[in-house]
Amino acid sequence: MGYFDSLSKMVKESGLTLKEIADKCGDYGVNINPSYISKLQTTRQAPASDEVNIALAKVCKADVDNFRYEAFIEKSPEFLKDFIDKNLRIIRKMSEFYIDTNYENDIPSSISEKTKNFSDYEMVNFIYEEYLLLSHLETDYEAALETKETIKMFDDSMEPRIPKDTLLTVDDSEVNNGDIVFVILTDGSFLIRKYIEIQQKDFTNKIGLISENRWYSSSTIDKHEIKTLRKVKSMTLPI
């Protein structure tokens, strides 16, 4: 849609006059006048500052991050606009294919109708959420572990020993050398690997996380990089 069209749309949908919007922006520490907003709507003015855009979106009860994204794109050089546009078109096509092959009946067409008028920012967020839903991944494993002890094997890094989608029972019992563990690292990433204690003198605080699948790399990490560590106790294979 673009920055200027997005502004006009959210102003119209707010039901407020330009004077009312300008006055309410003062509540967010931004002082502008109605004529400035009018110029923004008709593209006679360069996109506003980030501070002003945030205030405008909040006053109009619009999506703040989406509007800020539109402003960023409008201010970007042409080569960056072209690069982002090409990648977003690829993402949209990939999402259509993914949804068509993973949903049944009339669901793909209903999703297509739903996303038809999405902005690029809204589309990327939607795709991210759908991929998580379709692959049954937990977005917050730590929160999940507080309420349940079962997680799903999310990749094939431990095949053939643990096939993808296997249900794993985990707990916080003592982890020993050679155990299979579920690890959340301080950078937010998570792994299911074989736990190996490294006894060498120069590796006192390090452990090995070993993959069964040769196409995945194993790693050696410092113990302080581990945020959460759970022992895999049992597994249930899907039928």
Side-chain angles (χ1 to χ4, degrees):
M1 180 178 291
Y3 173 81
F4 303 108
D5 289 336
S6 292
L7 175 59
S8 296
K9 182 174 183 286
M10 72 185 198
V11 166
K12 181 179 179 181
E13 291 179 348
S14 73
L16 301 171
T17 65
L18 296 186
K19 185 178 185 309
E20 289 173 329
I21 292 173
D23 290 343
K24 287 178 180 292
C25 281
D27 296 339
Y28 298 98
V30 171
N31 296 313
I32 55 176
N33 56 55
S35 64
Y36 177 68
I37 303 174
S38 178
K39 289 178 181 178
L40 283 175
Q41 286 183 274
T42 56
T43 72
R44 292 197 298 267
Q45 188 81 27
S49 66
D50 196 46
E51 182 183 30
V52 172
N53 288 327
I54 291 172
L56 286 170
K58 286 183 175 179
V59 168
C60 295
K61 301 188 183 306
D63 187 318
V64 175
D65 289 336
N66 182 62
F67 190 51
R68 294 173 70 193
Y69 170 81
E70 297 288 4
F72 168 78
I73 293 297
E74 185 62 35
K75 295 176 183 178
S76 298
E78 287 302 319
F79 83 90
L80 183 57
K81 289 181 184 178
D82 290 342
F83 177 78
I84 293 174
D85 181 63
K86 288 175 183 176
N87 280 277
L88 283 169
R89 276 187 277 140
I90 292 172
I91 289 173
R92 285 180 184 269
K93 288 294 184 184
M94 288 176 64
S95 71
E96 289 174 7
F97 173 78
Y98 194 82
I99 291 169
D100 282 343
T101 55
N102 283 276
Y103 280 128
E104 298 177 352
N105 303 324
D106 60 346
I107 294 179
S109 60
S110 66
I111 292 177
S112 177
E113 185 64 27
K114 177 182 177 181
T115 61
K116 185 169 58 178
N117 296 318
F118 275 5
S119 68
D120 290 337
Y121 181 85
E122 291 168 331
M123 189 65 191
V124 170
N125 275 333
F126 172 78
I127 292 167
Y128 175 72
E129 291 169 359
E130 286 299 308
Y131 281 178
L132 289 178
L133 176 64
L134 287 171
S135 56
H136 307 288
L137 292 179
E138 293 283 358
T139 57
D140 188 347
Y141 271 111
E142 285 189 295
L145 288 173
E146 292 180 4
T147 59
K148 64 180 183 180
E149 296 181 341
T150 302
I151 61 175
K152 182 172 286 189
M153 186 67 202
F154 39 78
D155 61 24
D156 59 352
S157 61
M158 293 300 289
E159 291 187 356
R161 184 171 184 176
I162 305 177
K164 184 179 178 182
D165 293 333
T166 299
L167 291 177
L168 304 174
T169 301
V170 301
D171 66 20
D172 58 358
S173 59
E174 182 182 357
V175 174
N176 298 307
N177 192 40
D179 286 340
I180 304 298
V181 294
F182 171 69
V183 181
I184 300 177
L185 302 178
T186 53
D187 64 2
S189 59
F190 44 85
L191 301 165
I192 294 175
R193 295 287 191 271
K194 181 190 290 186
Y195 180 95
I196 299 295
E197 296 176 353
I198 300 177
Q199 304 294 336
Q200 297 178 29
K201 183 178 180 181
D202 295 336
F203 292 86
T204 306
N205 294 314
K206 294 184 180 294
I207 62 165
L209 295 174
I210 310 301
S211 169
E212 297 277 335
N213 187 333
R214 67 187 181 89
W215 295 108
Y216 286 76
S217 61
S218 298
S219 56
T220 301
I221 65 169
D222 290 323
K223 290 182 179 179
H224 70 263
E225 293 180 55
I226 297 176
K227 188 175 182 180
T228 302
L229 179 66
R230 295 287 188 272
K231 182 176 180 177
V232 176
K233 300 285 287 186
S234 63
M235 65 180 188
T236 303
L237 293 172
I239 297 176

